[in-house]
Amino acid sequence: MAVDPIVVGVTVLYFLVTIYIGWWSKQKLKSATDYYVAGRQIGSFVNGLALESTYLSPASMLGLPAYIFILGYPFWWAMAAIILGMPLATLLTASALRKYAPTSFADYYADRYKDEKLRWLIGVIVAFGSILYITLSIVGMALFLLAILKINYFYGVIIGTVIVLLYVVWGGMIATSWNAAFQAALMTVAAVIAAVVMIVKLGGLQGFHEAVLANNPKFFNTASDPQPPHAFVGTWLAIVGWYFTWHFGFAVMPYTVVRFFTTMDIKTARRSIFWTALFAGIFYMALQIIGAGAKVMIENYHPLAAEAGGKAVGVLKIIQQTYQVGSVLDYSMIAAVEALSNPLVLGILAAGGLAIAMSTAAGWVMVVNTLVTRDLLGMQLKSKYAQENPVTTARIVSIVFLIVGMIISFNPPALVLDLSGWAFVALIASIGPGLVLGLWWKRATRTAMWTTAIIMFFLHLYAWMYAKFNLGHHAWFFLNQMLFGDNKAAWIVTPHQFWAIPVGFILFVIISLLTSPPDEETVQKYCVELTENV
């Protein structure tokens, strides 16, 4: 596969725009508040698009089509769940937190539970999630750079990291917000164009459906059919598990919650969700089509199909061997678009892919550098340098986390969707209950916050890693061998160990009821008043 000048040209134009936005944003920086939360002046349309591109990540653009490629049609429910979960954020957290108007993700926990030391706990847990999301974003950038320049994956990781550094270090949250909005529009348009061209290539909607079915007769089967497409969608518990995992997270994940801090007011925060859901819905419909048609396209039209004996996995293995790609199944969506033999479409898609990867990386870098610089160094350790030079310190922290993510990206431990799900459930199960119940339940206590966060964080990390490395995949319930021995036919599927989410809420409630209630003044200020008229 040769480098195409049209693909390169479209991508270079994209890079120039993002770097210009970073430079322009630097001129707008006048205070640390501008750097951390964009001066709270971001409108609903821009914030809605920024929410879309920051939240969806390469786990969406690469991981979800790859999982449809692997698991078949039932995985569409997981994608629908993300869109349906977005309005939930307005009710549970968005409006209330914008009324509270914090600067850092840890502010609410420290104030609601009257414990400044909680900044350490939140900081450690969020740092873990940040590193995984930054890693999967850099992996995504490297894969798209491979598609554009046909360079070794190793160099793609380095180049992608440097580009993110340029505009995050320059412009902070202002650059991140405007770039993310631009990137959301670009990635949505890119996915729609690729999906439409793919449908046309296969003879329209009916031809597309028939081609997918001919390639895999089980593709459209569900858990009710005798032969589901894959064991991981072979029961309704598994399908609901995928759905539930992605449904709840939008309301409590740090990088979406922080975006509400940047808006002008409560109404803007609410309206942001409308734009997010609209564009994300269009984006996901396109990704579903691409994922469904990927195997057909690769096996019939990819330039390497003949060399691979007409097998999609064979094509991906050749790419892996040629460019030293780690988790090659993540490349399946790009390979499907390469099979269209349309350099303009590939160029637009690659630019859109870089957009979503860079946006997610930047969003998480901003979350973690605010936590480390302001909360830990400035407020907890009383660092004079961090207090007097907050923006410079935040830039240094950004560089450190990006370098850590880059190092892990050279040899990622799992597919991008696996990394996303690992971070996703670990965060939701550990600190999600304390946020939601802290806002809506007067009885939520500090002891419950500490205990739930610590137990569920480490329990989920252990369960995910045990299932991944001992049972072969994170989707297997980690106690399967203890319950069913080696009888795999009886094993339970629990995607990303999603059971940890309800268990985290149950644990939080039980401990709250067993410990002394918080004082009335705290409850009134950080629970009752924040949720009034929401």
Side-chain angles (χ1 to χ4, degrees), residues 238-272:
I239 292 177
V240 170
W242 291 114
Y243 180 91
F244 178 74
T245 298
W246 301 107
H247 182 82
F248 176 68
F250 190 81
V252 298
M253 285 298 281
Y255 58 83
T256 52
V257 171
V258 167
R259 288 239 56 90
F260 300 130
F261 303 168
T262 68
T263 57
M264 298 174 182
D265 49 39
I266 296 173
K267 287 184 178 180
T268 307
R270 290 173 180 160
R271 289 170 182 163
S272 297

Side-chain angles (χ1 to χ4, degrees), residues 54 57-58 105 122-138 253-256 258 357 359-372 397-398 400-406 408-409 419-420 422-424 426-427 431 457:
T54 303
S57 83
F105 182 74
I122 301 302
V124 170
I125 294 174
V126 172
F128 166 81
S130 298
I131 290 171
L132 288 185
Y133 268 97
I134 291 168
T135 297
L136 71 88
S137 299
I138 293 173
M253 285 298 281
Y255 58 83
T256 52
V258 167
S359 177
T360 301
W364 273 102
V365 167
M366 287 307 304
V367 169
V368 77
N369 74 26
T370 302
L371 272 170
V372 173
V397 172
S398 298
V400 170
F401 273 84
L402 278 167
I403 289 174
V404 171
M406 180 184 73
I408 299 173
S409 299
L419 295 177
S420 173
W422 190 14
F424 204 83
L427 288 164
I431 61 180
F457 180 68

Side-chain angles (χ1 to χ4, degrees), residues 52 56 82-83 86 188 275-285:
E52 180 200 359
L56 299 184
I82 299 175
I83 310 306
M86 288 176 177
T188 302
W275 294 112
T276 304
L278 176 63
F279 278 85
I282 296 170
F283 179 60
Y284 270 155
M285 287 179 65

Side-chain angles (χ1 to χ4, degrees), residues 62 65-67 69 294 298 316 328-337:
L62 294 175
Y67 261 58
F69 174 85
I298 295 171
L316 297 177
V328 74
L329 285 173
D330 286 326
Y331 198 78
S332 60
M333 192 269 259
I334 302 173
V337 177

